Amino acid sequence: MGGRSSRSEREAPPEGSRSLFKRYFLALFLVMLVPLVSKGASDVWFGYRDQRALIEALLQRESLAAAQRIDAFLGELAGQLGWMTQLADASGTIERRRVDALRLLRQAPAVTTVSHLDPNGIETLRVSRLDLDIIDAKVSRAEEPAFLGAVGGKTYFGPVYFNRGSEPYLTMAVSGRRRDAGVAIAEVNLKFIWDVIAAIRVGNAGLAYVLDADGRLIAHPDLNLVLRGTDQAVGRNVDLIDLAALRGSTALIGREADRRLVSLSSIPGPRWIVAAEQPLSEAFAPIYAAAVRTLLMLVAGAALAAALAFLMAHRMSVPIKLLERGADEIGAGNFTHRIRIATGDELQRLADRFNKMAGDLAESKERSERISRLKRFLSPQVAELVERSGTGRTLESRQIDVVVIFCDLRRFTTFAAQAEPKEVMRVLEEYYARLGPIIIRYEATQTCFSGDGLMMLLNAPFPCHEPARHAARMATEMQAAVQDQAMQWRARGYGIGFGIGMAEGPATVGQIGYESRTDYTAIGSVVNLASRLCSAARDGEILIDAQAASSIGDALPLQLLPPQRIKGFEGEIDVYTLSNATCQLSRNEIPATPP
């Protein structure tokens, strides 16, 4: 039951994950749909841009044509009005000017009143369609804007005003070429511009209209809008006032419900604006129709893409699910599982690689298990060596010359009896933290721990070049490292020292122990000698036997000590010490253990 449960948990998809089939379906669907959407969107966009450019060109052409016709109309009125200023003031000229005025009223129906002022601004003649003619009224109009604006051979266009609050009028004034010819002033009814505006049609709903400089409507196809007066006109066209800088170009105006394209052209004389506009709903009607057709095509294309994506995702997801199950089996440690896919493509090659990987993992797992078993009783380098050799011959019992090193702390037993357990363990951790990296770097075989004591071998189980010199250098570094740490211990009040004993000679090496636990060690008198030298070594000393000293030679400075009697050995033996041990202390300088 437990095995089946763990396997079902393994096969359950993680929370938040998506089905492989869904991912591939979505990816393939988007791969086919995105180009269709891009193509449809680009067609609609470029169609919109082309249609807008076409409408803008049409509106600009119509507004410019209307502006030119209105400008020509006003220019013609100015020319006809100029006939009244051809004659200088003299006897008999008033009647002739009256005839010219009547002719102007007959030829220009838009003009309702014509006046003539002498060079001093005195009215000499007024002819009107609406009132009686006045001759030589002697009324001064010298301060009127029309007279002042026309002086100097200019044409004056006054602001548009509404007669009786409805009909738009314009005041025009023209001066003669000679100063004594005076100034002719005409009141022009702008309803006659309606003929020009009414003739402009842009599509079915497009139209044109004219605004004055203040944005008031002065001409529109619907004459009622003009006749309604100032407030109504300004209310409709107030947004065009902000577009004064866009004259000669096209812009979007209006609110969302009444958006329209408008093109503005100016009439320089009176500073009017001719606007030609068309609602967006009509201007872009072909684009809207094309967009609907494109949308229908996209729907059909999306349905086809969904069907193809379903078939392709299904075909791809089946072998990938087999790979997924195989990966789960391999991840669970079942390296005998094999994935069988016969698609003849990359998926089959991937399955073959999975199978090869499973075989390699099985072999690697077996090797790791062997090394783990060896590391339970061997140092890491020995375990790796045994594994690489492929046999246990390296650990077979044999007799070989070895260098044995013993080391331990001085006065540690007394310290451990008096200190707190945590402090004892802290000192040991600091002690081994100093020695461990050095032992590993010199590849010494560490046989056992014994509290604060260590036993190490060199030249067994694998050979070492000049093992005695190698061991002496390692012992020197070990002594220096521990003495550096001992300074910190002494600062904390602990009189702990460190001694090392080293001997070289033949020994029997091999594995000892019982079935579930074995150690690799050395047995022989050389081991006992190294242990006795370690016990005899004072703090900071490295004691070496004669054979090891002979092997070291002059590689390191040695000092011969007086012959020593060593327990377990007959007679006195020669003992040496490394004279340059960096932390060696005089035998008279050994600190006492604190009470």
Side-chain angles (χ1 to χ4, degrees):
M1 291 294 290
R4 287 196 297 270
S5 175
S6 62
R7 179 168 181 172
S8 63
E9 291 176 359
R10 229 175 30 241
E11 294 178 350
E15 184 178 356
S17 64
R18 292 190 298 171
S19 166
L20 184 66
F21 173 81
K22 291 181 180 180
R23 288 190 176 188
Y24 275 101
F25 172 79
L26 182 60
L28 294 171
F29 177 70
L30 292 177
V31 165
M32 290 182 280
L33 183 63
V34 167
L36 293 176
V37 174
S38 301
K39 178 66 166 58
S42 64
D43 288 345
V44 171
W45 165 248
F46 287 113
Y48 163 80
R49 192 177 65 175
D50 295 342
Q51 180 70 10
R52 176 160 180 170
L54 179 64
I55 296 300
E56 287 179 354
L58 176 61
L59 292 174
Q60 289 175 3
R61 184 173 64 250
E62 293 294 341
S63 65
L64 183 60
Q68 291 174 346
R69 292 179 62 184
I70 294 173
D71 188 51
F73 168 75
L74 295 177
E76 183 180 353
L77 285 181
Q80 292 175 340
L81 189 61
W83 282 103
M84 295 185 61
T85 61
Q86 298 298 316
L87 300 175
D89 284 339
S91 59
T93 58
I94 293 179
E95 185 59 30
R96 293 181 61 181
R97 285 196 177 95
R98 182 171 177 275
V99 172
D100 290 338
L102 292 173
R103 184 187 306 114
L104 174 61
L105 294 178
R106 185 168 56 252
Q107 294 177 352
V111 178
T112 59
T113 303
V114 179
S115 302
H116 178 266
L117 308 181
D118 65 13
N120 297 318
I122 303 301
E123 184 180 274
T124 61
L125 176 65
R126 180 186 297 178
V127 179
S128 175
R129 299 178 188 275
L130 306 176
D131 295 319
L132 297 176
D133 297 343
I134 301 175
I135 298 175
D136 201 13
K138 304 297 184 180
V139 176
S140 176
R141 299 173 62 182
E143 299 300 325
E144 292 185 6
F147 177 77
L148 297 175
V151 172
K154 302 176 184 178
T155 301
Y156 169 79
F157 295 94
V160 177
Y161 65 94
F162 287 82
N163 187 23
R164 300 170 186 170
S166 60
E167 295 183 0
Y169 273 78
L170 169 70
T171 299
M172 291 180 58
V174 177
S175 63
R177 296 180 180 178
R178 296 166 51 181
R179 187 179 184 281
D180 57 0
V183 175
I185 302 175
E187 306 297 327
V188 183
N189 190 329
L190 298 181
K191 288 193 300 180
F192 292 93
I193 302 177
W194 180 83
D195 294 331
V196 176
I197 297 303
I200 298 176
R201 305 297 296 181
V202 182
N204 295 323
L207 49 86
Y209 49 89
V210 182
L211 306 174
D212 66 5
D214 296 325
R216 292 178 296 182
L217 191 64
I218 58 176
H220 194 279
D222 186 356
L223 190 58
N224 290 328
L225 294 178
V226 179
L227 297 180
R228 285 175 188 171
T230 303
D231 295 337
Q232 187 77 12
V234 171
R236 170 176 167 77
N237 299 288
V238 68
D239 50 355
L240 286 179
I241 300 175
D242 297 332
L243 298 176
L246 296 176
R247 295 173 186 175
S249 61
T250 305
L252 275 172
I253 64 170
R255 291 179 171 79
E256 292 299 328
D258 185 28
R259 300 285 283 174
R260 56 195 187 277
L261 273 174
V262 60
S263 176
L264 307 177
S265 297
S266 62
I267 303 174
R271 295 185 300 133
W272 292 347
I273 298 175
V274 178
E277 69 175 34
Q278 186 177 25
L280 284 183
S281 58
E282 181 183 33
F284 295 142
I287 300 302
Y288 297 152
V292 171
R293 291 193 299 270
T294 301
L295 180 60
L296 294 177
M297 292 180 63
L298 287 177
V299 171
L304 179 60
L308 293 176
F310 179 85
L311 294 176
M312 295 178 67
H314 179 73
R315 185 167 183 175
M316 294 178 65
S317 63
V318 170
I320 293 178
K321 286 181 179 179
L322 291 176
L323 289 171
E324 183 183 14
R325 285 200 221 58
D328 288 340
E329 292 291 338
I330 294 172
N334 183 11
F335 299 133
T336 61
H337 180 79
R338 294 296 180 266
I339 303 171
R340 293 176 175 81
I341 296 176
T343 57
D345 55 14
E346 288 82 355
L347 292 175
Q348 181 177 346
R349 291 196 290 273
L350 181 60
D352 294 340
R353 292 180 181 177
F354 261 99
N355 295 334
K356 183 179 182 303
M357 179 185 69
D360 294 340
L361 288 174
E363 182 179 349
S364 177
K365 179 183 178 183
E366 184 179 354
R367 179 175 179 271
S368 297
E369 289 176 349
R370 289 197 302 269
I371 293 177
S372 297
R373 287 194 297 269
L374 292 172
K375 284 183 177 179
R376 288 183 302 182
F377 56 88
L378 295 178
S379 64
Q381 63 267 33
V382 175
E384 291 288 344
L385 179 63
V386 172
E387 170 56 28
R388 287 197 297 269
S389 67
T391 66
R393 293 177 60 87
T394 307
L395 302 180
E396 288 180 350
S397 298
R398 54 183 172 148
Q399 191 172 42
I400 188 174
D401 283 342
V402 296
V403 176
V404 182
I405 298 177
F406 276 87
C407 63
D408 64 4
L409 295 175
R410 306 284 89 102
R411 297 173 297 282
F412 181 77
T413 302
T414 304
F415 161 75
Q418 298 174 355
E420 293 292 330
K422 287 184 179 180
E423 187 63 22
V424 173
M425 298 308 297
R426 176 187 174 188
V427 167
L428 287 177
E429 288 176 359
E430 295 170 343
Y431 170 59
Y432 285 118
R434 294 281 189 161
L435 295 182
I438 300 173
I439 296 171
I440 293 174
R441 179 154 44 85
Y442 279 88
E443 297 182 346
T445 301
Q446 181 176 314
T447 60
C448 64
F449 289 96
S450 179
D452 61 313
L454 283 175
M455 173 183 172
M456 290 157 286
L457 302 177
L458 282 94
N459 208 42
F462 49 89
C464 173
H465 179 66
E466 296 182 341
R469 295 183 179 183
H470 200 63
R473 294 188 183 96
M474 181 181 73
T476 301
E477 288 194 29
M478 293 170 59
Q479 187 64 262
V482 176
Q483 290 299 329
D484 181 68
Q485 179 63 47
M487 293 177 63
Q488 300 180 29
W489 291 335
R490 293 186 187 104
R492 302 207 299 260
Y494 308 144
I496 301 174
F498 180 61
I500 301 175
M502 186 176 81
E504 181 181 17
T508 300
V509 296
Q511 299 182 67
I512 61 173
Y514 49 91
E515 181 179 359
S516 61
R517 174 68 186 182
T518 59
D519 283 329
Y520 184 84
T521 189
I523 301 173
S525 61
V526 67
V527 177
N528 294 333
L529 179 57
S531 176
R532 299 301 183 189
L533 291 176
C534 177
S535 298
R538 300 292 182 90
D539 181 23
E541 280 189 332
I542 302 174
L543 298 183
I544 303 174
D545 77 329
Q547 183 174 342
S550 177
S551 298
I552 294 172
D554 58 358
L556 293 172
L558 298 174
Q559 179 181 354
L560 178 63
L561 298 177
Q564 303 281 329
R565 285 189 174 274
I566 302 297
K567 183 179 179 181
F569 292 87
E570 294 181 359
E572 295 181 340
I573 63 173
D574 292 334
V575 178
Y576 294 78
T577 182
L578 279 171
S579 60
N580 69 334
T582 56
C583 297
Q584 183 175 353
L585 301 176
S586 169
R587 292 174 179 268
N588 298 322
E589 295 176 351
I590 300 173
T593 303

